Amino acid sequence: MPPFSDPRTGVPTLSGLAHPTRQISCRQAPTIRGQVGGGNYFKNNYGRGTEQWQGRPMAEDAQSFDPDLFLSAADIFARKGRTLPIHAVKGFATEVVQRILSMDARAEFVDDAKVSAKRLGAFCDTLLQPLPEKALAFVAALEAEGVTPDVIRYGYIAGAARLLGDRWDRNKVDFTEVAIATGRLYALIRAVKPDHQEHHGVHRGTRSALFASVPGETHTLGITLAADTFRNHGWDIDLRVSEDHDSLVRLVQHARPAVIGLSLSTRGRLADLIRLVLALRIVVPRAIIGVAPALEMSDTEITDIVDIDLVFRDARTALADLDRLLRLRA
């Protein structure tokens, strides 16, 4: 199956990303930083902000859409294009589109009559605009009309991913535009809360998590010791140290853990970590994700380009941080 194929049909979408005549340099990679108007615009226009955790916005359960979280996720996605080689950015775009297309399995939540081809085309056009606020305004208009979050998520966002792929295959958009639109789609997934009940593999009053090494890592002692420390403090830990990327994503999609801890022991696996987190954010959008990075890496090296909630430097601090964050999310 081509790398940008619809998982249901095998029809290629965005397959041209690997086309040899469409290469661009890292300096030309898409950027959103400097274009983001910031959360205040939407706090003023939509009447609210969001709770902050270590300076990062948190979506509130009572709200169906979080503009601050959208802007944060879009900015983090854009930084990848300025930091990592273009082949890695293409891989991230592939991952996002494939995971979004796979959401069509949730079609029972979508009334096709509410997603017209004309509106979907207009939405795709909006995703390609220079300012991400245009996409937010489009989604706000849908909500004002009474369109449910699930129709936005599984109808408009998944539908736009297919339409974007079709436009790429017909040479209607270039890679820079595809990368920008893909980042917007990912950020929207992060910011739109499904209005069906998201089940997680935990119950109120229990503390459990899935701990895993980044696929390809061979140093697993640290995460094994961390899992033992958490268990000694009453946590139920599912430890995975040998899963490949797809197997780990499938496991998380089935188990739906509320907390995911990942171990990155070498800088060389940073791209694998980013790809994994992108997939996990789409399949379990409400999960808390933390990373224990390589010792030589600073916190900002991770948080600038990886969309996570916490950096774990030691197990005992992680315990306290997670307890606090879980109380905020309760």
Side-chain angles (χ1 to χ4, degrees):
M1 182 180 294
F4 272 78
S5 296
D6 186 322
R8 302 172 307 157
T9 65
V11 175
T13 60
L14 299 185
S15 55
L17 281 182
H19 196 286
T21 65
R22 288 177 174 167
Q23 299 294 319
I24 64 175
S25 71
C26 291
R27 289 191 299 274
Q28 295 171 300
T31 176
I32 296 175
R33 189 179 181 90
Q35 298 176 350
V36 176
N40 288 336
Y41 173 89
F42 288 94
K43 290 177 186 177
N44 294 337
N45 286 275
Y46 298 104
R48 61 170 176 79
T50 55
E51 183 147 23
Q52 299 286 315
W53 165 257
Q54 294 185 346
R56 296 280 303 283
M58 287 176 49
E60 298 177 17
D61 289 341
Q63 300 163 346
S64 61
F65 185 78
D66 187 336
D68 288 340
L69 186 55
F70 169 88
L71 292 170
S72 173
D75 196 29
I76 291 172
F77 193 95
R79 291 189 203 122
K80 305 180 201 317
R82 298 191 304 276
T83 307
L84 298 163
I86 193 63
H87 69 82
V89 178
K90 290 181 178 180
F92 303 150
T94 302
E95 186 71 32
V96 169
V97 171
Q98 286 187 333
R99 297 298 170 186
I100 290 176
L101 288 175
S102 72
M103 295 192 313
D104 282 351
R106 311 299 292 272
E108 67 268 23
F109 297 113
V110 178
D111 180 355
D112 290 336
K114 295 181 179 179
V115 187
S116 70
K118 182 177 180 180
R119 294 294 297 280
L120 191 59
F123 180 49
C124 196
D125 291 341
T126 300
L127 294 169
L128 297 167
Q129 295 297 310
L131 294 177
E133 286 89 346
K134 299 291 187 181
L136 285 177
F138 194 101
V139 170
L142 292 176
E143 286 194 308
E145 295 170 11
V147 178
T148 66
D150 277 337
V151 172
I152 294 172
R153 190 179 182 87
Y154 303 112
Y156 281 91
I157 296 176
R162 289 193 302 274
L163 183 56
L164 184 66
D166 178 67
R167 290 184 180 184
W168 171 266
D169 291 336
R170 292 188 291 113
N171 296 312
K172 299 295 184 181
V173 293
D174 61 25
F175 175 72
T176 301
E177 293 173 306
V178 169
I180 290 174
T182 300
R184 306 270 168 80
L185 287 171
Y186 168 77
L188 286 169
I189 288 291
R190 292 282 285 118
V192 177
K193 176 189 174 185
D195 57 9
H196 68 278
Q197 184 64 35
E198 282 280 331
H199 171 71
H200 289 275
V202 296
H203 302 282
R204 189 174 297 277
T206 66
R207 296 185 300 173
S208 63
L210 183 144
F211 281 9
S213 54
V214 171
E217 288 279 16
T218 57
H219 302 287
T220 60
L221 177 60
I223 194 171
T224 301
L225 293 174
D228 289 342
T229 300
F230 270 69
R231 288 169 179 149
N232 291 338
H233 284 77
W235 281 69
D236 179 13
I237 301 297
D238 181 4
L239 177 62
R240 304 284 174 155
V241 295
S242 60
E243 303 287 340
D244 63 28
H245 176 87
D246 288 333
S247 296
L248 186 55
V249 175
R250 283 195 299 269
L251 174 67
V252 169
Q253 190 166 19
H254 175 74
R256 308 198 70 78
V259 176
I260 301 171
L262 302 173
S263 172
L264 177 72
S265 61
T266 58
R267 191 190 303 272
R269 292 290 176 183
L270 179 59
D272 297 299
L273 170 66
I274 293 173
R275 180 183 172 219
L276 178 60
V277 171
L278 287 170
L280 297 180
R281 285 300 193 194
I282 293 171
V283 301
V284 281
R286 307 295 294 164
I288 295 169
I289 300 179
V291 170
L295 292 177
E296 72 272 14
M297 298 184 71
S298 68
D299 289 6
T300 55
E301 285 183 87
I302 298 294
T303 57
D304 278 354
I305 57 175
V306 189
D307 188 11
I308 59 171
D309 300 293
L310 293 167
V311 174
F312 299 144
R313 284 298 175 183
D314 64 83
R316 293 188 182 278
T317 303
L319 282 164
D321 286 343
L322 279 172
D323 280 341
R324 181 184 170 197
L325 188 49
L326 286 169
R327 286 196 298 271
L328 288 172
R329 291 277 182 97

